[in-house]
Amino acid sequence: MHTRLSLGVAAVVLLATFAIATFALHFVKSSMRASIASEEFARVDAIADAIDQKFGSRRILLQTFSGSVEAQDFQGTAALQTFVEKHPSLRQAFDNVAFLDMDGNLVANLNGAQAIGKVNVKDRPYFQQTVASRTGLVSEPYRNRLNGLAQVAITEPVFDSTGQVRFVISGAINLKDRSVLGTLADVKFGKTGYLFVTTVDGIVVDHPNASRILNHVQPNGSGGDAQILRAMAGFQGSSEGVNEAGVPSLYAFDRMVQANWIVGAMYPRSEAFASINAIERGAWIGALALALCAGALTLAVVRRQLTPLAELHRHMQSTQQAPSGGDEGTPVAQRRYAADEIGDLSRTFDELMEQRRAIERSLAHSEAQVRIIADSIPAMVSHVDASLRYTFVNAHVRALHRGNGPLVGRLMPDVRGPADFAVVEPHFMRALAGETVILEKSGDPALGIGDRTFKAHYIPDLDAQGRVCGVFSMTFDITEEVNIRRALSEQETRLRDVTDSIPALVGYFDRQQNCHFANIRARQMAGLGEKSALQGTTLRSALGRTIYSQLKPYLPVMFSGKKVRFPVRAPLHGRQGYFQVNLIPDKNLRGEVVGFYLMSFNITALKEAELRQAESELRLRAITDNMPALITYIDREEKITFANATSREWLGLDPAQVLGRHVQEVSGREVYVSRQPMLARALAGERVEFEARMQRAGSERITQVIYVPDVRADGVTHGIFSLALDITALKVVEHKLIELARLDTLTGLPNRLAFNEYLPDAVLRSQLTGHAMALMFLDIDHFKAINDTMGHAVGDAVLSEYARRLQGCVRGTDMVARLAGDEFVLVLEGLGTPEAAAIVAEKIVDRVHTPPFVVDGQRVDVTTSIGIAFHRASGSSATAEELLARADVALYNAKAAGRDRFAFFMQSGGSHSGSPTRLEH
């Protein structure tokens, strides 16, 4: 025994040492693995955020640049190329910035004009998506057709004054640019781990192996890296897996926001956990050495210290023969123990004996608690052994037999009486045979419960060998449940009476189309009596072949879980009858169709009324289709329920295509939003008239629209009658009259009215864009002498030629107008410095007197004087009237200086109210 005990102690020491080492190593490895995975994901997340920020800043830069281009409103691509070349700072963010027209042709290029007209990107998805969505995007990676570089494009649309896309700005970024993705090749995880970037579709954006860039992660249809495929499916975070080369690795994935790319890292497991494996090997060797030393030492000590074991054995025998210490609460006499290990074992043994007695007392207490629980169950609970002798009864059983004294230990026939026992004896015998028995029975009137109904469960009590050693009995009072079932039966009877009173055929069929219920009308149609059984009655036999053939196509739709309603025709009293059939699926809790309800209504009278109404509508349509106007009816849900034939010409839609569709769906979102207030007023009962423009198939039509509310006898507006008349020709004449009122008939230039409308808008645009502008006031020197000496006809010819030369000196976007007589004005916008205005003025002065004017063979020497008011957007709040007054003062100064020149208006001392000085050229 000493040897076995010693070896056992040594084995326990060894097992304990290895168990502790195993737990410690597992904890350390788990912590370190989690830390390494978290660190890898943090690095990947930081890199993804950095790339997102770079793409975001570049998109904002392109949006700002697009806004500048829209404000300039360039008329030609040459000016656009010049404008692009004035922004070399864009190279700090992009390899190239290009402008593309709507056909995908390159029209301006930051890298120079050599490639203009030679490149077309209409087939590039990023160009097509930008034009379609009218918003900028970050493209999928692609390979440049000229230099073969892997690139990505950031696009931004440029809109014209009508809101249409005019150009697409494309900012190309080299994926190896050090400021974007180039540094990814320098990021390492361990010795051979690396970082890579793919799109969500699996196209490689960056990879240490350059040959894989712009290729799919699944080359040649192979399975690919399972972890990368998992990331493409939406996974973000850290995971472990095996790469395509079979190397176990630690992966981390994160998604970018701007480009929706996946940034991933692959860290070989052998490198990631190299330090953990080294620690594990050292720990196991140390634990093994420590366990061997501890086991050997313990073996020697235990064998020496087990000599007093015999004394302990005698002590245990004497303790077992001693009295138990009395009842609960009686203290056990104190014993003296030796101050050694054996004494400790003796003390422990005595404590264990005391604990056993405490457990026995606790067990008795637990049995009392079980009895309390059983007494609290709302059922009669009892247990009988194989001889039908009660071994347990709860309080409800005791209360029921309270006059019979104690029940435990007595036989069931003696307690329940011969009559009651004869009722339950067969069921108890079945339970003793191993069968679980459940039955409903009435209460025993002798016990005062004859008006109650009970549900009894007799459950066999099986021992460990599966033999029946008794029966558990649980009896519940189900009187209320029985009453509910009875009420449900009565309700079902009332429901059948209701369905028999409905003026319709009602039936229920299972999935095999067998009838389970039919009201009286359905029975009569099937040729069944009121009390006839429904077994064998199918849907086909109940409806007949004619009606069933019309209903059959709708059965698959109904069995898919959808309600179906459709009309059928059948002979009715010697004429054609019409019926409305409804098929309603019956679904269980899992949503499966287990049957269906059939309801059929006679709608013959309604159908005949509809036919008469259709004839009336046919006559009405013949009238409206021949009227030169678009006529529609719009209901309260803003859906079109009537449209005449004019819709084919005006809308390009057949009237049948319009019916039932919402106004917004037919007219478009923009038109609907503009007309919604008028629709609301008309639906509120107000007659509304307004003008509207319609654009279809490249043509524009101006209409006079009248909304007449359909207010009926009940005072409610049920819809709107809409009448649209074509007034395009009238508007064209009106527009020509308005244009003539704003043109000078002699020179064809805008007159004073048009100029007075234009100048305030130009001042406002200057303030909004931040660009300077200039207003020039011009007249012809000594023009009165020309009129007086040569006649007014020559004067008019001079004015016309002067206007022509003036227009030839300015841009097409500049405003040239004649105020009166020989007074002209010129508005220049988008200027940077006064020198730009001076260049234009000098050009005009030279162009007017060279070459000389020739009118009817006569030479006329003509010169001009110009006054210039230069207006800066910042630091100035001059109005249009003030600018015109300043230009007038500058013109006076130019004439005073000798004519045939121009002068700028200047504020003396920087004050806006100072006396004018002049700057002459």
Side-chain angles (χ1 to χ4, degrees):
M1 182 183 69
H2 288 183
T3 302
R4 292 196 302 271
L5 183 58
S6 299
L7 292 176
V9 171
V12 169
V13 172
L14 288 172
L15 291 176
T17 303
F18 278 103
I20 294 172
T22 301
F23 175 77
L25 284 173
H26 176 73
F27 178 76
V28 171
K29 289 171 66 177
S30 299
S31 299
M32 292 185 69
R33 285 176 179 172
S35 177
I36 292 171
S38 177
E39 179 184 357
E40 183 185 15
F41 179 73
R43 291 179 65 188
V44 170
D45 181 64
I47 293 172
D49 289 343
I51 298 174
D52 263 331
Q53 292 176 5
K54 292 178 180 180
F55 277 141
S57 63
R58 283 163 170 79
R59 290 192 69 179
I60 293 174
L61 178 60
L62 272 191
Q63 290 172 0
T64 304
F65 186 58
S66 173
S68 299
V69 175
E70 291 176 359
Q72 295 289 339
D73 191 19
F74 293 107
Q75 298 301 313
T77 57
L80 189 63
Q81 176 64 29
T82 303
F83 182 76
V84 173
E85 292 175 352
K86 289 181 179 179
H87 293 78
S89 58
L90 291 174
R91 294 188 183 279
Q92 300 177 9
F94 301 98
D95 291 327
N96 185 25
V97 175
F99 281 81
L100 309 168
D101 61 15
M102 291 299 94
D103 294 324
N105 295 314
L106 179 68
V107 297
N109 188 12
L110 186 60
N111 287 342
Q114 293 80 4
I116 293 178
K118 300 178 181 179
V119 177
N120 185 283
V121 297
K122 188 173 184 180
D123 60 330
R124 291 288 194 187
Y126 67 82
F127 175 79
Q128 298 171 356
Q129 294 170 9
T130 302
V131 174
S133 64
R134 296 168 58 85
T135 185
L137 53 81
V138 179
S139 77
E140 294 292 312
Y142 63 91
R143 193 171 299 280
N144 190 292
R145 293 169 177 169
L146 297 178
N147 54 30
L149 294 176
Q151 291 183 337
V152 64
I154 299 179
T155 65
E156 191 66 32
V158 178
F159 300 95
D160 59 17
S161 58
T162 63
Q164 300 298 317
V165 178
R166 184 179 181 187
F167 300 109
V168 173
I169 303 177
S170 171
I173 299 175
N174 185 358
L175 293 183
K176 282 302 180 180
D177 185 355
R178 303 297 293 184
S179 64
V180 183
L181 298 179
T183 57
L184 293 181
D186 300 333
V187 178
K188 296 293 184 181
F189 291 86
K191 295 181 180 180
T192 60
Y194 55 85
L195 194 76
F196 58 91
V197 180
T198 70
T199 67
V200 294
D201 297 324
I203 304 301
V204 178
V205 178
D206 192 84
H207 197 278
N209 184 358
S211 63
R212 298 195 61 177
I213 295 177
L214 297 187
N215 291 322
H216 202 276
V217 295
Q218 296 178 287
N220 301 323
S222 62
D225 194 315
Q227 299 303 315
I228 297 178
L229 298 179
R230 184 184 177 196
M232 289 166 56
F235 172 74
Q236 295 187 82
S238 300
S239 64
E240 293 187 31
V242 179
N243 66 6
E244 295 176 349
V247 178
S249 305
L250 180 64
Y251 287 86
F253 299 98
D254 193 19
R255 289 207 176 191
M256 295 167 52
V257 177
Q258 294 289 338
N260 198 19
W261 292 351
I262 301 170
V263 179
M266 193 283 291
Y267 196 172
R269 180 187 175 94
S270 59
E271 298 176 13
F273 302 144
S275 58
I276 300 177
N277 296 334
I279 293 173
E280 182 177 15
R281 288 192 297 270
W284 278 116
I285 294 173
L288 180 61
L290 178 62
L292 291 175
C293 294
L297 181 60
T298 302
L299 182 61
V301 172
V302 169
R303 290 182 64 86
R304 183 176 182 85
Q305 296 297 323
L306 286 180
T307 304
L309 192 59
E311 181 64 27
L312 174 60
H313 182 253
R314 288 191 298 271
H315 172 72
M316 294 175 66
Q317 287 181 333
S318 62
T319 302
Q320 291 177 348
Q321 294 172 0
S324 62
D327 297 332
E328 182 178 358
T330 302
V332 180
Q334 295 290 333
R335 295 187 179 91
R336 299 178 63 84
Y337 303 99
D340 56 11
E341 293 82 353
I342 302 303
D344 292 339
L345 290 174
S346 299
R347 183 185 300 105
T348 301
F349 174 76
D350 291 339
E351 292 173 354
L352 289 175
M353 294 297 291
E354 180 60 29
Q355 290 176 5
R356 189 184 71 175
R357 287 190 285 271
I359 290 172
E360 290 174 350
R361 294 192 295 270
S362 176
L363 182 59
H365 178 66
S366 297
E367 290 180 352
Q369 289 181 325
V370 171
R371 178 171 293 280
I372 292 173
I373 294 172
D375 289 344
S376 301
I377 295 176
M380 292 180 287
V381 182
S382 63
H383 179 270
V384 296
D385 58 17
S387 61
L388 297 180
R389 189 179 300 277
Y390 283 108
T391 60
F392 175 84
V393 292
N394 72 343
H396 296 289
V397 178
R398 293 195 300 272
L400 186 64
H401 298 280
R402 57 181 175 271
N404 292 344
L407 302 180
V408 176
R410 296 174 58 186
L411 292 172
M412 182 187 295
D414 297 339
V415 173
R416 304 188 66 155
D420 186 46
F421 179 70
V423 175
V424 300
E425 180 181 14
H427 308 296
F428 267 91
M429 293 300 104
R430 290 166 57 193
L432 286 174
E435 178 184 354
T436 298
V437 181
I438 301 175
L439 73 151
E440 292 185 10
K441 63 186 185 68
S442 301
D444 187 356
L447 298 176
I449 55 175
D451 59 338
R452 311 296 293 176
T453 304
F454 297 91
K455 190 171 189 178
H457 297 252
Y458 300 141
I459 305 169
D461 178 18
L462 305 178
D463 59 13
Q465 288 73 34
R467 295 189 297 269
V468 179
C469 58
V471 177
F472 292 103
S473 172
M474 297 183 67
T475 304
F476 299 88
D477 189 340
I478 60 170
T479 304
E480 298 300 327
E481 179 183 344
V482 172
N483 293 337
I484 291 174
R485 289 204 301 263
R486 187 179 298 113
L488 288 175
S489 177
E490 295 174 356
Q491 184 177 4
E492 182 179 353
T493 301
R494 287 194 297 271
L495 180 61
R496 177 175 290 279
D497 294 339
V498 170
T499 56
D500 287 343
S501 302
I502 294 176
L505 280 71
V506 181
Y508 178 81
F509 299 83
D510 60 20
R511 284 193 65 90
Q512 287 71 40
Q513 303 180 27
N514 296 315
C515 182
H516 291 262
F517 171 81
N519 69 346
I520 188 169
R521 284 179 172 79
R523 288 174 175 270
Q524 291 171 353
M525 179 179 180
L528 300 174
E530 184 176 352
K531 302 297 183 180
S532 301
L534 296 174
Q535 286 80 6
T537 302
T538 63
L539 183 63
R540 182 191 296 270
S541 62
L543 299 179
R545 185 176 63 179
T546 302
I547 299 179
Y548 182 79
S549 62
Q550 300 177 57
L551 176 143
K552 185 177 180 181
Y554 299 95
L555 289 176
V557 179
M558 182 275 301
F559 280 125
S560 68
K562 299 178 182 179
K563 296 180 181 179
V564 184
R565 183 175 63 183
F566 54 92
V568 299
R569 294 182 297 175
L572 179 66
H573 306 307
R575 60 190 180 94
Q576 186 71 33
Y578 298 90
F579 299 87
Q580 184 74 47
V581 179
N582 296 266
L583 298 178
I584 305 168
D586 179 24
K587 302 179 182 178
N588 58 19
L589 296 177
R590 295 189 298 273
E592 301 169 344
V593 179
V594 297
F596 61 93
Y597 298 92
L598 183 146
M599 298 182 66
S600 178
F601 298 90
N602 187 347
I603 59 170
T604 302
L606 177 62
K607 192 66 176 179
E608 291 174 348
E610 289 179 353
L611 293 175
R612 290 192 297 271
Q613 182 180 359
E615 293 177 359
S616 176
E617 290 181 353
L618 185 62
R619 290 191 295 270
L620 177 62
R621 178 167 293 279
I623 295 172
T624 57
D625 284 349
N626 290 280
M627 294 183 64
L630 177 62
I631 303 174
T632 57
Y633 184 85
I634 305 170
D635 64 14
R636 291 198 62 84
E637 286 72 34
E638 299 182 357
K639 293 183 178 180
I640 300 174
T641 60
F642 175 83
N644 68 344
T646 309
S647 62
R648 294 191 187 95
E649 178 184 355
W650 288 23
L651 303 178
L653 296 173
D654 191 87
Q657 296 176 282
V658 176
L659 299 184
R661 297 171 64 180
H662 196 274
V663 174
Q664 177 177 344
E665 185 181 356
V666 175
S667 63
R669 173 68 179 175
E670 184 177 352
V671 174
Y672 173 73
V673 171
S674 64
R675 297 192 183 186
Q676 195 171 26
M678 281 74 82
L679 287 170
R681 289 166 54 193
L683 287 174
E686 178 184 353
R687 177 188 173 94
V688 182
E689 294 188 24
F690 59 93
E691 292 183 5
R693 293 180 179 270
M694 296 178 59
Q695 292 184 347
R696 293 284 177 175
S699 63
E700 184 177 60
R701 190 188 306 273
I702 304 175
T703 60
Q704 176 74 21
V705 182
I706 304 173
Y707 286 162
V708 180
D710 179 17
V711 182
R712 300 183 186 175
D714 56 3
V716 177
T717 302
H718 291 263
I720 303 169
F721 296 100
S722 173
L723 175 66
L725 303 173
D726 189 349
I727 60 172
T728 305
L730 179 64
K731 283 297 178 179
V732 168
V733 174
E734 180 181 341
H735 180 68
K736 289 182 178 179
L737 292 175
I738 293 174
E739 286 184 347
L740 291 175
R742 285 170 170 76
L743 288 178
D744 177 54
T745 57
L746 176 61
T747 62
L749 295 177
N751 60 13
R752 180 183 294 274
L753 176 61
F755 170 73
N756 289 339
E757 293 175 350
Y758 181 84
L759 184 57
D761 293 338
V763 174
L764 179 59
R765 284 194 296 273
S766 176
Q767 294 173 351
L768 294 177
T769 62
H771 295 144
M773 63 171 288
L775 173 62
M776 295 185 182
F777 205 139
L778 311 92
D779 70 359
I780 300 174
D781 297 331
H782 306 298
F783 180 72
K784 185 175 183 303
I786 296 174
N787 263 342
D788 292 344
T789 59
M790 297 185 176
H792 288 284
V794 174
D796 289 346
V798 169
L799 289 175
S800 298
E801 176 62 16
Y802 179 83
R804 187 186 65 79
R805 296 190 183 191
L806 190 59
Q807 283 182 302
C809 295
V810 298
R811 300 169 297 184
T813 58
D814 297 330
M815 169 68 167
V816 182
R818 180 190 177 196
L819 298 185
D822 64 332
E823 293 180 345
F824 292 81
V825 289
L826 173 60
V827 181
L828 302 177
E829 298 185 62
L831 302 180
T833 62
E835 286 72 14
I839 293 172
V840 176
E842 185 174 4
K843 182 179 179 181
I844 293 173
V845 171
D846 293 341
R847 183 72 179 273
V848 168
H849 63 64
T850 303
F853 285 42
V854 177
V855 179
D856 294 334
Q858 303 180 66
R859 172 173 172 167
V860 182
D861 293 324
V862 179
T863 61
T864 186
S865 298
I866 305 174
I868 306 173
F870 187 80
H871 174 65
R872 297 185 183 276
S874 59
S876 175
S877 60
T879 64
E881 292 78 6
E882 291 173 343
L883 285 179
L884 186 60
R886 293 176 183 180
D888 191 19
V889 171
L891 176 62
Y892 173 80
N893 292 339
K895 287 183 174 295
R899 292 184 171 84
D900 193 18
R901 65 192 64 213
F902 62 90
F904 280 83
F905 174 81
M906 302 295 291
Q907 296 273 350
S908 63
S911 170
H912 288 281
S913 60
S915 60
T917 62
R918 57 191 176 84
L919 173 64
E920 298 181 2
H921 293 265

